[in-house]
Amino acid sequence: MKRLCIALSAAAGLFAALPASAQFQKPEDAIKYRKAAFTVMANHFGRVGAMASGKVPFDAKVAAENTELLTHLSTLPAAGFIAGTDKGETRAKPEIWSEADKFKAGMAKMGEEMGKLNAAAKTGDLAQLKTAFGAAAQTCKACHDNYRKE
Ligand code: ASC
């Protein structure tokens, strides 16, 4: 019984620490979380981009593995933009919060385009991948232009 209690409280502690619940101990933790999520996204997006631009040979399987990951990764950063995280080690502009609906719509659009990129990658057709990659990159850039400081 005692062992079970220890196991259960350990599991509860683990859940409390998981940022996926969109709960953060401190504003800095939310900032770190979203930056980390963007870093991982950029890495996988970059691998697909290298194929789209011909910098590395196109490998349909590798492309699709990365785009599949991106459909999930792209859902992560939004949770980190909680109130009070416009200050500190961040390039986030205050407009993220003053135009919250527009910002959320931009994030949602990016997620949609990641879904289309994944569908394109799964066709195995490089031309489709290139088109979808361009559209997805455009949604990244739109938010950077509007909501990220230099
Ligand atoms: C990338 C990357 C981004 C976007 C952006 C698109 O590969 O890391 O942040 O594309 O540059 O314009």
Side-chain angles (χ1 to χ4, degrees):
M1 188 61 195
K2 194 174 169 202
R3 213 185 276 172
L4 179 67
C5 284
I6 293 169
L8 284 178
S9 53
L14 185 66
F15 273 110
L18 277 179
S21 63
Q23 287 172 358
F24 300 98
Q25 303 280 339
K26 298 173 284 174
E28 303 92 275
D29 293 345
I31 294 173
K32 268 195 217 164
Y33 176 84
R34 71 195 186 210
K35 285 163 83 170
F38 282 131
T39 298
V40 178
M41 275 175 69
N43 182 291
H44 292 282
F45 196 61
R47 295 186 212 184
V48 181
M51 291 185 219
S53 67
K55 282 199 190 88
V56 309
F58 177 51
D59 180 325
K61 185 168 176 283
V62 173
E65 281 167 5
N66 282 285
T67 59
E68 177 66 35
L69 275 175
L70 283 162
T71 65
H72 303 286
L73 295 171
S74 60
T75 67
L76 298 180
F81 288 92
I82 56 172
T85 58
D86 54 332
K87 290 165 200 75
E89 287 189 29
T90 179
R91 286 188 285 166
K93 284 190 184 172
E95 285 79 4
I96 288 170
W97 293 275
S98 63
E99 303 174 0
D101 287 349
K102 213 178 135 197
F103 178 71
K104 281 181 195 152
M107 277 282 194
K109 174 80 178 150
M110 182 270 289
E112 253 174 60
E113 295 302 327
M114 290 299 174
K116 290 183 192 171
L117 177 60
N118 191 32
K122 285 181 174 168
T123 67
D125 175 4
L126 180 58
Q128 289 193 46
L129 183 82
K130 282 183 184 176
T131 303
F133 182 86
Q138 201 47 50
T139 64
C140 301
K141 186 178 185 304
C143 277
H144 294 164
D145 290 350
N146 289 329
Y147 299 115
R148 188 175 74 176
K149 291 176 204 160
E150 284 314 308

